[in-house]
């Protein structure tokens, strides 16, 4: 079973990787409640982040359209949708 801590670590890790790749910035201070746009993620980076998280969690919480990507503002919200999707057994 995926714990909230493991899910948060995975999401934060992927965000940090994308920020390092695209902006060459260290995002070590991400807590989770910051808005993704404030961290420096643009729409293309968010799309890449979601593709990576779909692979990491082996689920796509946006596939059945009960959750919209447009409603996601923070890393904590990403953790929540991925853990719920994984618990519900939604495939990629």
């Amino acid at each position: 079973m995926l714990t909230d801590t493991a899910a948060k670590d995975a999401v934060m890790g992927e965000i940090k990787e994308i920020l390092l790749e695209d902006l060459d910035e260290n995002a070590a201070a991400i807590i989770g409640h910051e808005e993704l746009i404030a961290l420096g993620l643009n729409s293309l980076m968010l799309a890449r982040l979601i593709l990576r998280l779909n692979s990491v969690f082996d689920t796509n919480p946006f596939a059945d359209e009960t959750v919209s990507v447009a409603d996601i503002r923070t890393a904590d919200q990403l953790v929540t949708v991925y853990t719920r999707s994984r618990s519900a057994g939604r495939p990629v």
Side-chain angles (χ1 to χ4, degrees):
M1 182 173 174
L2 181 68
T3 66
D4 288 343
T5 302
K8 189 168 186 169
D9 289 346
V11 169
M12 300 303 180
E14 293 298 330
I15 290 171
K16 289 176 186 179
E17 284 293 318
I18 287 176
L19 289 174
L20 280 170
E21 289 170 8
D22 288 20
L23 302 176
D24 200 27
E25 290 184 18
N26 187 351
I30 299 174
I31 297 170
H33 64 272
E34 304 92 347
E35 290 203 8
L36 297 172
I37 196 163
L39 294 173
L41 270 86
N42 59 33
S43 58
L44 181 58
M45 294 163 75
L46 180 59
R48 286 184 25 235
L49 174 63
I50 288 170
L51 287 173
R52 287 183 182 190
L53 292 175
N54 288 352
S55 178
V56 167
F57 291 106
D58 197 31
T59 188
N60 182 353
F62 308 104
D64 64 5
E65 299 179 8
T66 57
V67 178
S68 172
V69 174
D71 295 331
I72 303 299
R73 301 277 184 254
T74 68
D76 285 341
Q77 290 173 329
L78 280 172
V79 172
T80 299
V81 298
Y82 276 96
T83 53
R84 286 182 183 165
S85 180
R86 180 92 184 254
S87 295
R90 291 187 191 124
V92 173

